[in-house]
Amino acid sequence: MRERRKRRRHRDQVAGEIELMPMLNVFISIIPLLLLSAAFVPVTVIKTTLPSDSAAAVEPQKTPLDLAIHIHPRAYQLEVSGSIVANIVRDPKGGEAATQTSHDQLLEALQGVAAAHSDEREVRIVSESRTRYEEIVEVMDVARTAGLPEASLAEGLEGS
Amino acid sequence: MRRRRGSWRRKSEGSGSVNLISMMDILTVLLLFLLKSYVAGGEVMVPPAGIELPSSNADAPPQSSLVVAIDGDEILIGSERVATLAEALGEPGLEIAPLTAHLQAVQQQQNEIAKLRGAEPAQHLIATIQGDRNIEFRILQKVMYTLGQNGYENISLAVLQKS
């Protein structure tokens, strides 16, 4: 009797093992698929709007500040209502790559203007035709940090 | 009796009972993590191969929209090639004619789908530009102008989020 019970327990243990192989097969095919398509560096967007004809027809309520940042190969220029208020050399050593210092200076200048006009949210970024996209995005970042999130893009004259 | 027990042992060795439970635990956790990152991410935008997006501290999530990609030498809508940069730059004026043709085709298709669904065609169209970080402003300007001329007034620039 005891012998028989022992044998039954043995049989139960064998039957109790779950068949894991099919599940494992599924996992092994799903996980590489998910890993490949997972975005580990999140992609975000910067929203810009184009001036539409209908928007242009509406008269602005107040005189616009017309704040613009000019990106020149060697310098950033900050323009307020048609006059240049700041000229920031991008690289003191004479190169064309923008340095962190020049970004900080631009940020300071923009924050100064933004503090004086607290309701101003728009800034025009005037680039030359050969300005690289990355530089424009960097300037947009600086403007957003300074509290001017609505950047629009414009083209300036060469060599001005 | 002894014979029977012997045969059982042989069978259990034959089925190769490697202990898979711990591996299953790892895989289950990994699977849950990956699925969660999908669900929490909302619209997931994967930059196409060959395009190095600029990095920015912008944090607006991408929306589902028409995607125009600009890489080192071509303009693409979705994964379809539209024009080479040389062609686009060679065009007089700001509008890129092949891009206009493609955008109108896409718009017509969307209007037909909207009509079949019984919905109004969309008024404010959204486009996302995935541009390589080294493209020049003149090409970006042309693409933006062409999009604007074809009713895509809300334009998003795709960037990689700085950590």
Side-chain angles (χ1 to χ4, degrees):
Chain A
M1 190 60 200
R2 195 180 285 169
E3 184 79 2
R4 204 188 286 165
R5 197 179 289 166
K6 213 178 185 178
R7 208 188 302 154
R8 196 192 291 160
R9 203 181 296 155
H10 251 307
R11 210 192 295 147
D12 283 355
Q13 269 183 2
V14 174
E17 264 190 46
I18 314 162
E19 252 326 305
L20 286 176
M21 283 314 277
M23 195 173 173
L24 202 64
N25 289 339
V26 171
F27 275 22
I28 283 176
S29 45
I30 284 180
I31 284 175
L33 181 87
L34 289 177
L35 272 176
L36 279 182
S37 52
F40 291 107
V41 183
V43 173
T44 53
V45 295
I46 303 173
K47 284 182 185 162
T48 55
T49 47
L50 290 178
S52 64
D53 295 340
S54 55
V58 181
E59 281 292 311
Q61 295 289 311
K62 56 180 178 57
T63 49
L65 189 60
D66 195 22
L67 183 62
I69 307 169
H70 293 259
I71 308 178
H72 295 306
R74 290 182 190 280
Y76 293 125
Q77 284 181 336
L78 189 60
E79 180 193 316
V80 179
S81 311
S83 56
I84 307 276
V85 296
N87 190 4
I88 296 153
V89 179
R90 286 173 43 165
D91 188 358
K93 289 176 193 140
E96 294 201 354
T99 55
Q100 188 58 43
T101 328
S102 66
H103 281 164
D104 291 345
Q105 284 174 337
L106 183 63
L107 178 63
E108 225 169 273
L110 274 175
Q111 275 170 339
V113 176
H117 308 269
S118 57
D119 55 344
E120 187 68 29
R121 289 175 62 81
E122 286 173 31
V123 62
R124 209 151 44 89
I125 295 174
V126 185
S127 326
E128 289 178 4
S129 66
R130 295 207 175 255
T131 308
R132 283 164 58 236
Y133 181 41
E134 192 179 17
E135 294 168 26
I136 301 170
V137 172
E138 278 169 8
V139 173
M140 279 176 145
D141 272 4
V142 173
R144 195 171 328 102
T145 315
L148 303 157
E150 288 170 23
S152 61
L153 299 177
E155 189 189 16
L157 295 170
E158 297 279 328
S160 61
Chain B
M1 191 57 216
R2 194 182 287 167
R3 209 176 176 192
R4 208 185 271 174
R5 195 177 286 172
S7 73
W8 174 79
R9 198 180 294 157
R10 211 177 298 139
K11 210 205 281 172
S12 81
E13 274 169 12
S15 68
S17 60
V18 188
N19 196 1
L20 290 174
I21 305 288
S22 43
M23 189 177 172
M24 291 298 291
D25 289 350
I26 297 170
L27 292 183
T28 311
V29 169
L30 197 59
L31 187 70
L32 285 178
F33 165 75
L34 287 173
L35 283 176
K36 198 201 134 271
S37 75
Y38 256 84
V39 175
E43 180 78 15
V44 177
M45 188 176 279
V46 181
I51 293 185
E52 214 181 317
L53 296 176
S55 47
S56 156
N57 57 15
D59 54 0
Q63 294 168 301
S64 58
S65 64
L66 180 88
V67 175
V68 180
I70 311 169
D71 70 4
D73 43 33
E74 285 175 325
I75 301 171
L76 305 104
I77 291 183
S79 55
E80 203 179 336
R81 289 160 190 214
V82 174
T84 62
L85 291 200
E87 274 171 19
L89 288 173
E91 300 232 354
L94 281 172
E95 193 155 350
I96 305 170
L99 184 59
T100 302
H102 263 83
L103 288 175
Q104 280 170 353
V106 168
Q107 225 165 315
Q108 204 175 351
Q109 218 171 4
Q110 281 178 345
N111 284 347
E112 273 169 27
I113 292 171
K115 208 186 282 174
L116 287 175
R117 276 188 183 164
E120 290 275 308
Q123 288 299 314
H124 295 282
L125 300 162
I126 308 169
T128 305
I129 297 180
Q130 295 183 335
D132 192 271
R133 59 176 65 184
N134 289 318
I135 61 170
E136 290 172 347
F137 177 66
R138 52 184 177 159
I139 191 74
L140 184 71
Q141 186 188 25
K142 280 191 153 202
V143 171
M144 285 180 83
Y145 177 81
T146 311
L147 284 170
Q149 288 298 303
N150 289 287
Y152 291 89
E153 281 165 18
N154 297 318
I155 294 176
S156 303
L157 304 174
V159 289
L160 292 180
Q161 193 169 29
K162 263 184 210 165
S163 52

